Amino acid sequence: MTAFDKHQVATFRFVRCTLDENTGVAQLVYAFDNGPELVETVTIPGAPFLLDGARAQAVEQALRLLHLFAGVSYYKAAVPEDVRIDSYAIDADTAALVEAVYLNGLGEFAYRNGLNLRGRFRLPVQGEALAASAAGLREHALVAIGGGKDSLVSIEALRALGIEETVTWIGGSQLIRACAERTGLPTLNIGRVLAPELFELNRQGAWNGHIPVTAVNSAIMALAALLQCVNQVVFSNERSASYGSQIPGTGEVNHQWSKGWAFEQAFGEHLEKHVAADLHYYSLLRPLSELAVARQFAKSDFYDAHFSSCNRNFHILGERPVNRWCGVCPKCHFVFLALAPFMPKTRLVRIFGRNLLDDAEQAGGFDALLEFQDHKPFECVGEGRESRAALATLASRPEWSEDVLVKRFIQEIQPQLDATELSIEPLLVLEGEHRIPAAIWERLRANFAA
């Protein structure tokens, strides 16, 4: 392709989206100006799919929504002000949802690149809103698995309630596959291949950075649920995901905005209102803090040798840790700290291969988690108050209090904190808004509160 100059791009185009019902392959096509087409493919296993009536209409709406969401990977390369949809019309509700995903989901991207995206991405509104009807979906849950502790907590909670579920992931991660197979449940591996030209655009100097990948994955799984004729898409995003990093002079920037309540509420309501009235999207862990999730996970060691929350395992390109945990990234720091109050020290050190809190060189990483002389990392980690409470808990335990970073916390940091805000118990309470179906929640809350 010809040289790409992000400053010369005038228009981003949503060209078309298609689904082959005989193969399960969806094609999502984009372009800048009149340039070459950028074609992404998503492959849903289980074809051929026999679609008619309300379910066929729901699939078409879900496919268009996926087309619009997934375009964020390409739009960000140049962030032009003119945006067009070539092959279909959308209503005002759909436009508002997608615009919110781009503005908030690209918040970290914009901050890191010094861009102001407010009011920049606007979709043309032409069509009338479609009122969704029931698509005749069966009672069954597609549960997203990412290889970490959170999704495993959800999977086991649903299993305990006797809810039929299929463990679902997107992409080719062998680590996630091993975790999924460890559950012993039915699995669904969805393929996703980005347009290869995107990596060349990045090499030529395109804008690049974090995207709201959970929003894209949610749209992929909504389409998959309709094709599989199941009525629930379940994620494992906890209460803490709704809180971002407080940046001096900028305000809140949430790395995990599409894991937060605002996105879950907006997307879930949109699906039921405009796609399929009987398709329910929710996070099973929304009423829990990260620490409460860690407490649930620690109750069983069944996945100790299989799970990993280290994001270096899941980069599209780049190095992978030799083991499942690199031990130096914010995710490793936080998961180690979150699990420490709830499991024996020997078990935790065995999982990670070393004691991260007995390494003076890791002080800066843990300071950021505590929001001590730094802001919360741009990662999917808990709130600063959770990290402070976890460390304060460890500081009171003899088996931890002599570790170098715990001792430093006791001597240098804890005296500067409000002692009344360091209790861990209030952070383990189930609270806050959620979209968990009432029949499930009433049975689930007793399990999580124990």
Side-chain angles (χ1 to χ4, degrees):
M1 46 191 308
T2 57
F4 180 78
D5 184 349
K6 63 194 176 204
H7 299 293
Q8 296 301 313
V9 172
T11 302
F12 178 70
R13 294 165 47 216
F14 293 90
V15 179
R16 66 183 177 279
C17 54
T18 60
L19 172 69
D20 187 331
E21 297 174 17
N22 294 312
T23 63
V25 175
Q27 286 198 330
L28 314 173
V29 186
Y30 312 93
F32 291 106
D33 295 329
N34 293 313
E37 292 184 345
L38 306 168
V39 183
E40 175 172 323
T41 60
V42 174
T43 303
I44 315 283
F49 300 108
L50 303 177
L51 304 174
D52 56 19
R55 192 154 70 98
Q57 186 179 66
V59 165
E60 181 62 25
Q61 293 303 311
L63 177 65
R64 292 178 179 182
L65 205 56
L66 170 57
H67 187 218
L68 295 168
F69 277 20
V72 71
S73 296
Y74 308 92
Y75 169 79
K76 77 175 192 314
V79 294
E81 292 194 41
D82 184 35
V83 179
R84 301 179 187 178
I85 303 174
D86 292 357
S87 55
Y88 55 88
I90 64 169
D91 60 89
D93 283 359
T94 301
L97 173 65
V98 178
E99 287 167 6
V101 167
Y102 277 62
L103 175 62
N104 296 290
L106 290 175
E108 178 189 337
F109 160 84
Y111 170 72
R112 288 187 180 275
N113 287 290
L115 298 169
N116 181 5
L117 299 185
R118 190 160 297 279
R120 189 176 186 88
F121 179 88
R122 287 287 182 262
L123 291 171
V125 175
Q126 296 175 315
E128 292 296 320
L130 179 72
S133 55
L137 307 176
R138 61 190 170 95
E139 289 283 336
H140 192 98
L142 291 189
V143 186
I145 186 171
K149 62 179 175 28
D150 297 15
S151 51
L152 294 170
V153 168
S154 288
I155 287 164
E156 292 306 318
L158 290 175
R159 191 204 305 263
L161 297 180
I163 295 172
E164 291 189 2
E165 56 184 314
T166 297
V167 178
T168 307
W169 74 101
I170 298 160
S173 168
Q174 292 306 304
L175 187 151
I176 297 178
R177 178 180 292 278
C179 257
E181 291 175 347
R182 177 68 169 166
T183 69
L185 293 165
T187 61
L188 182 70
N189 182 202
I190 299 171
R192 183 189 180 202
V193 180
L194 293 165
E197 295 86 355
L198 179 61
F199 302 102
E200 176 61 21
L201 296 183
N202 291 339
R203 192 187 68 78
Q204 293 183 26
W207 296 116
N208 200 5
H210 179 74
I211 66 156
V213 67
T214 300
V216 178
N217 288 344
S218 296
I220 290 173
M221 285 189 57
L223 176 62
L226 290 166
L227 292 174
Q228 300 282 334
C229 202
V230 304
N231 74 336
Q232 296 168 63
V233 172
V234 183
F235 274 73
S236 302
N237 304 316
E238 74 298 317
R239 188 171 71 231
S240 308
S242 299
Y243 299 89
S245 304
Q246 298 297 329
I247 311 298
T250 297
E252 183 179 49
V253 177
N254 192 351
H255 168 87
Q256 49 186 338
W257 180 83
S258 62
K259 289 186 174 183
W261 168 245
F263 171 76
E264 179 186 339
Q265 182 181 36
F267 184 62
E269 290 181 357
H270 187 89
L271 289 180
E272 292 181 20
K273 186 177 179 181
H274 298 302
V275 178
D278 50 349
L279 177 58
H280 308 302
Y281 170 87
Y282 60 95
S283 169
L284 198 72
L285 306 183
R286 183 64 65 197
L288 282 70
S289 67
E290 279 272 20
L291 291 181
V293 176
R295 181 177 66 166
Q296 288 295 125
F297 181 83
K299 291 178 180 179
S300 168
D301 63 2
F302 186 72
Y303 295 104
D304 282 10
H306 296 80
F307 86 109
S308 177
S309 300
C310 174
N311 276 350
R312 293 194 182 184
N313 285 298
F314 308 112
H315 289 171
I316 294 176
L317 301 172
E319 62 174 323
R320 305 293 199 275
V322 175
N323 300 308
R324 286 173 297 109
W325 303 90
C326 73
V328 296
C329 73
K331 287 281 286 188
C332 283
H333 289 156
F334 181 75
V335 175
F336 188 95
L337 182 56
L339 289 172
F342 306 110
M343 64 171 58
K345 186 176 185 179
T346 52
R347 177 184 165 195
L348 185 59
V349 171
R350 185 167 61 248
I351 289 171
F352 279 81
R354 55 178 159 148
N355 181 358
L356 306 189
L357 287 170
D358 203 26
D359 181 355
E361 294 184 0
Q362 309 252 27
F366 282 98
D367 283 356
L369 293 179
L370 299 171
E371 296 177 319
F372 176 70
Q373 299 178 340
D374 201 353
H375 63 75
K376 175 185 170 184
F378 286 132
E379 279 286 2
C380 298
V381 296
E383 300 173 60
R385 62 176 181 160
E386 292 184 90
S387 294
R388 294 190 292 271
L391 252 177
T393 300
L394 301 185
S396 67
R397 297 180 180 175
E399 70 270 26
W400 288 101
S401 61
E402 291 302 312
D403 290 344
V404 62
L405 295 185
V406 181
K407 184 181 292 186
R408 175 176 174 268
F409 175 79
I410 294 170
Q411 295 173 348
E412 301 178 21
I413 301 174
Q414 193 167 12
Q416 302 181 50
L417 303 177
D418 184 345
T420 64
E421 296 181 357
L422 296 180
S423 173
I424 204 169
E425 292 303 323
L427 301 177
L428 302 178
V429 175
L430 305 180
E431 62 182 9
E433 298 174 291
H434 63 81
R435 305 192 80 256
I436 304 168
I440 295 176
W441 174 236
E442 289 306 315
R443 299 161 62 201
L444 190 68
R445 63 191 307 173
N447 182 16
F448 280 165

